[in-house]
């Protein structure tokens, strides 16, 4: 029996107006840089969880993280005009800006850059791969698995350098190991991560992080 | 440093935790060795990906409003109603265009400037919207990358309600891309453009009953980017007319003052103190620009006078390709309050310095700088 449901009408070649929240990242960044309020709002909404997540992970307290996150958006606004899309994604660019600002805050503190317990918790959270994710083949899942497969010392060294901006000497002091060993762990760990998945893939390692539009 | 030593420091370099002399030596080697450069690029990408698997977190309530306030923008509730001023629209033009055409040399961030052979930039074209034979009805930007997209603003006095946007293909046929609403005659809008195969040669806006409200025509791709400023106010229009032709390479200083990459913080301070006109120090090793320093980069107080100034230097947002159109670069510098940009090739080799005059109406010349030095010497 033929269905009584009517097919969806093809409305022709036109599309409905695209909300700012669905525009490409580069367009939103350009709008932010130009002071276009609507595009700036969309940009902040798209990336605020990513930016705040990185900041609070690195510095560990929400008040400082908010200031860092605000600074990150300010820097994006200030430097939007010279962002070069050929060299990487807006997401990666903004992530690195945020991390660098957070590391500046860490370096100004006199206490140890990272609490060992916090680091262990972070690594556990980052490498947690429930069944749904364990079967996935996106870059984020592959990176998580690769991190989980690293020897603990290498994983900690890569996280301390890559996330907290700690030098080999600082890692050596924190872990109570020779500087040479710290350097070897950073080099070996990052090399194994690179070999375990293709960092050149076209899709971003989205994982449990930002989903784009909010 | 050679290829045998490089792997031991490549990861630290990629993660941004290698400092001082070791960093400079590793960078110099990567510049000369395509294999190590590719290794570094891969490790840098991996390091960037590492940041993106960190747990996302919801910022405190009101965060969005505080960010917008910090940037001097209206809150979200007013954003949709706000009619941006001409300056906003002009700077958006510059920002959109600059994002696509300014090759940042070692800029951008991290070490991506050491990538071998950047792909050609997808063209971004723009054109003025003309209504009733007069330009000034708005502007249209078309980006031919992936995805292809279109952004436009229109200012049609008396126009209200929904208008249709159509793009014109190479065969002269129009296809509707979408619709948007004009409020008080003004509207801005963006959209992907999947409807037309081949190049887009123009765009138009249709009102009720299919009446043509405004049209824009892109110049053929071979003639490059077009930004029609006839609609601009006198001040901006006059400035851009004066420098509308040419590229950054035609206006840069060919012999800027440079400093060695092992400059200390104290020496950097002395260099700034030597001339109040000095806004940026260029730290160079073997012709490669390794970093730039402004006064604000230096640590406050007397801390670390013997520290390498390179540790505080940055390339982010401070370099530009010699091929970048001068008009766009000029607008971007004015809107950002930046008066110096280092000019580098795709490998990060220093070619010159773009030096915007304090009046913002032109660029310094080698002859002018030489005359100033001679006068100072007398």
């Amino acid at each position: 029996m033929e269905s009584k449901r009517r097919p969806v009408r093809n409305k022709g070649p036109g599309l409905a107006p695209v909300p700012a929240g669905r525009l490409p990242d580069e367009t939103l960044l350009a709008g932010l840089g130009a002071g276009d309020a609507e595009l700036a709002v969309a940009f902040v909404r798209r990336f605020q969880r990513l930016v705040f997540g990185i900041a609070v992970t690195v510095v560990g307290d929400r008040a400082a993280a908010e200031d860092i996150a605000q600074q990150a958006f300010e820097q994006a606004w200030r430097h939007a005009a010279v962002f070069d899309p050929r060299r990487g994604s807006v997401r990666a660019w903004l992530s690195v800006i945020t991390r660098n600002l957070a590391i500046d805050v860490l370096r100004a503190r006199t206490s140890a850059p990272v609490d060992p317990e916090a680091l262990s918790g972070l690594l556990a959270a980052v490498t947690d791969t429930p069944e749904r994710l364990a079967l996935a083949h996106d870059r984020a899942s592959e990176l998580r698995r690769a991190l989980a497969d690293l020897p603990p010392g290498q994983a900690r060294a890569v996280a301390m350098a890559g996330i907290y901006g700690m030098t080999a000497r600082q890692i050596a002091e924190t872990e109570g190991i020779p500087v040479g060993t710290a350097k070897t762990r950073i080099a070996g760990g990052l090399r194994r991560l690179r070999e375990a998945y293709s960092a050149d893939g076209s899709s971003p390692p989205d994982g449990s992080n930002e989903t784009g539009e909010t | 440093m050679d290829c045998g030593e490089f792997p031991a420091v490549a990861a630290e370099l990629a993660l941004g935790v290698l400092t001082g002399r070791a960093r400079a030596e590793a960078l110099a080697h990567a510049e000369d060795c395509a294999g190590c450069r590719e290794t570094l690029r891969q490790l840098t990408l991996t390091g960037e990906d590492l940041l993106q698997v960190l747990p996302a977190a919801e910022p405190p309530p009101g965060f969005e409003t505080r960010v917008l306030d910090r940037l001097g923008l209206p809150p979200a509730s007013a954003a949709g109603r706000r009619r941006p001023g001409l300056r906003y629209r002009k700077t958006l033009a510059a920002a959109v265009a600059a994002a696509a055409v300014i090759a940042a040399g070692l800029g951008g961030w991290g070490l991506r400037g050491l990538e071998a052979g950047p792909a050609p930039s997808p063209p971004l074209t723009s054109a003025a919207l003309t209504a009733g034979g007069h330009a000034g009805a708005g502007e249209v930007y078309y980006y031919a990358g992936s995805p292809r997209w279109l952004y436009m603003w229109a200012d049609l006095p008396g126009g209200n309600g929904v208008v249709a946007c159509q793009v014109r293909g190479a065969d002269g046929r129009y296809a509707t891309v979408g619709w948007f609403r004009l409020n008080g005659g003004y509207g801005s809008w963006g959209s992907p453009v999947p409807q037309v195969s081949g190049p887009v040669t123009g765009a138009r806006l249709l009102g009720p009953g299919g009446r043509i409200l405004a049209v824009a025509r892109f110049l053929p791709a071979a003639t490059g980017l077009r930004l029609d400023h006839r609609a601009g106010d006198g001040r901006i229009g006059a400035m851009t007319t004066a420098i509308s032709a040419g590229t950054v390479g035609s206006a840069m200083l060919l012999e800027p003052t440079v400093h060695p990459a092992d400059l200390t913080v104290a020496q950097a301070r002395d260099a700034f103190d030597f001339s109040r006109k000095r806004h940026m120090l260029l730290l160079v090793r073997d012709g490669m620009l390794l970093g730039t320093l402004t006064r604000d980069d230096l640590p406050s107080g007397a801390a670390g006078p013997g520290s390498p100034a390179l540790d505080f230097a940055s390339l982010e947002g401070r370099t530009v390709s010699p091929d970048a159109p001068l008009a766009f670069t000029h607008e971007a510098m004015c809107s950002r309050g930046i008066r110096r940009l280092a000019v580098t090739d795709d490998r990060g080799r220093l070619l010159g310095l773009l030096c915007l005059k304090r009046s913002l109406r032109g660029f310094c010349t080698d002859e002018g700088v030489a005359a100033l030095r001679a006068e100072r010497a007398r």
Side-chain angles (χ1 to χ4, degrees):
Chain A
M1 180 177 160
E2 192 177 345
S3 169
K4 291 184 178 177
R5 290 184 61 188
R6 298 175 66 182
V8 175
R9 185 181 171 203
N10 184 345
K11 295 182 178 177
L15 294 176
V18 176
R22 287 177 56 191
L23 289 172
D25 294 346
E26 291 82 0
T27 311
L28 296 188
L29 177 63
L32 171 78
D36 183 299
E38 191 176 356
L39 298 185
V41 168
F43 185 88
V44 174
R45 286 181 181 169
R46 182 172 295 180
F47 292 113
Q48 61 183 354
R49 295 182 72 245
L50 168 77
V51 167
F52 188 73
I54 292 171
V56 79
T57 297
V58 176
V59 299
D61 80 83
R62 292 176 64 84
E66 169 161 358
D67 189 51
I68 290 163
Q70 286 190 22
Q71 286 185 52
F73 282 112
E74 185 179 351
Q75 288 218 359
W77 167 71
R78 199 173 293 283
H79 298 302
V82 286
F83 167 76
D84 185 349
R86 294 175 303 170
R87 301 193 185 283
S89 68
V90 170
R91 171 180 294 273
W93 181 67
L94 191 58
S95 298
V96 174
I97 286 175
T98 308
R99 185 200 77 144
N100 290 346
L101 287 168
I103 287 172
D104 286 346
V105 170
L106 276 190
R107 286 176 178 164
R109 292 177 177 172
T110 53
S111 56
V114 58
D115 175 357
E117 283 191 20
L119 179 60
S120 299
L122 173 66
L123 284 172
V126 166
T127 56
D128 181 28
T129 51
E131 189 174 357
R132 145 182 97 75
L133 293 177
L135 296 175
H137 291 285
D138 58 87
R139 291 169 61 204
S141 300
E142 290 172 6
L143 181 56
R144 289 169 191 278
R145 280 195 290 270
L147 261 174
D149 289 343
L150 285 183
Q154 284 190 356
R156 293 170 65 84
V158 168
M160 282 191 273
I163 297 170
Y164 297 97
M166 293 170 66
T167 63
R169 181 171 299 281
Q170 289 174 310
I171 294 171
E173 290 169 0
T174 303
E175 299 282 84
I177 55 177
V179 174
T181 304
K183 293 173 86 70
T184 304
R185 287 182 180 178
I186 298 171
L190 194 63
R191 188 182 65 245
R192 287 181 63 168
L193 288 184
R194 185 199 61 170
E195 290 167 355
Y197 86 110
S198 169
D200 255 346
S202 55
S203 60
D206 231 330
S208 65
N209 211 321
E210 200 65 18
T211 56
E213 202 176 359
T214 55
Chain B
M1 182 168 292
D2 57 32
C3 294
E5 298 166 321
F6 187 79
V9 297
E12 291 170 78
L13 185 61
L15 296 177
V17 295
L18 193 66
T19 58
R21 180 179 298 275
R23 179 176 183 275
E25 289 176 353
L27 278 174
H29 173 71
E31 159 60 14
D32 293 333
C33 175
C36 291
R37 196 162 60 237
E38 174 59 17
T39 299
L40 180 59
R41 189 182 73 85
Q42 290 280 344
L43 290 173
T44 303
L45 286 173
T46 304
E48 290 171 1
D49 282 354
L50 193 61
L51 295 176
Q52 296 178 63
V53 298
L54 294 180
E58 200 67 46
F63 173 78
E64 174 186 307
T65 303
R66 289 190 288 279
V67 170
L68 295 173
D69 186 53
R70 187 174 183 135
L71 305 183
L73 295 174
S77 57
R81 300 194 302 271
R82 184 175 156 274
R83 177 188 178 116
L86 179 64
R87 182 174 176 276
Y88 277 133
R89 287 178 256 149
K90 290 294 178 189
T91 50
L92 177 60
V96 170
V101 302
I102 294 181
L106 266 179
W109 69 99
L111 299 159
R112 286 183 308 283
L114 291 175
E115 293 168 14
S121 180
L124 182 133
T125 51
S126 68
L129 267 176
T130 301
H134 300 286
E139 287 174 311
V140 184
Y141 300 90
Y142 171 64
Y143 177 67
S146 178
R148 303 194 304 170
W149 53 264
L150 185 114
Y151 176 85
M152 67 189 311
W153 63 269
D155 197 354
L156 301 167
N160 266 312
V162 175
V163 295
C165 175
Q166 294 186 327
V167 293
R168 183 175 184 267
D171 59 0
R173 295 184 180 180
Y174 283 91
T176 302
V177 182
W179 300 266
F180 65 102
R181 182 176 292 278
L182 298 180
N183 290 313
Y186 179 78
S188 62
W189 175 77
S191 167
V193 187
Q195 291 86 353
V196 180
S197 60
V200 169
T201 59
R204 69 183 183 187
L205 286 179
L206 302 182
R211 186 166 58 93
I212 298 173
L213 300 177
V215 297
R217 182 165 298 176
F218 297 116
L219 293 179
T223 62
L225 208 57
R226 175 190 181 199
L227 184 62
D228 192 329
H229 280 285
R230 283 175 295 169
D233 67 274
R235 190 179 63 83
I236 293 177
M239 282 199 294
T240 51
T241 298
I243 59 170
S244 61
T247 61
V248 164
S250 66
M252 67 185 183
L253 298 177
L254 294 172
E255 297 176 355
T257 301
V258 299
H259 292 81
D262 58 358
L263 194 76
T264 66
V265 167
Q267 290 169 326
R269 285 207 177 93
D270 289 344
F272 281 123
D273 290 343
F274 179 74
S275 169
R276 64 181 177 82
K277 288 182 178 292
R278 190 163 283 159
H279 293 253
M280 179 188 279
L281 302 186
L282 306 171
L283 304 185
V284 174
R285 184 188 197 113
D286 298 331
M288 297 294 296
L289 180 68
L290 299 186
T292 68
L293 270 176
T294 66
R295 292 172 203 270
D296 291 342
D297 291 332
L298 293 174
S300 56
S307 305
L310 195 57
D311 288 353
F312 302 94
S314 173
L315 290 166
E316 190 173 298
R318 294 181 181 175
T319 62
V320 65
S321 160
D323 302 321
L326 193 58
F328 290 135
T329 308
H330 176 253
E331 287 229 27
M333 293 173 82
C334 289
S335 65
R336 290 283 157 272
I338 300 170
R339 289 180 48 206
R340 301 289 186 274
L341 281 175
V343 185
T344 60
D345 65 13
D346 289 339
R347 294 288 185 84
R349 188 168 297 280
L350 182 68
L351 301 176
L353 177 71
L354 193 62
C355 169
L356 184 59
K357 290 181 177 177
R358 192 166 54 178
S359 66
L360 307 184
R361 290 182 177 273
F363 294 95
C364 310
T365 62
D366 282 307
E367 294 75 17
V369 172
L372 190 67
R373 283 182 183 149
E375 186 179 331
R376 189 184 294 151
R378 283 199 298 273

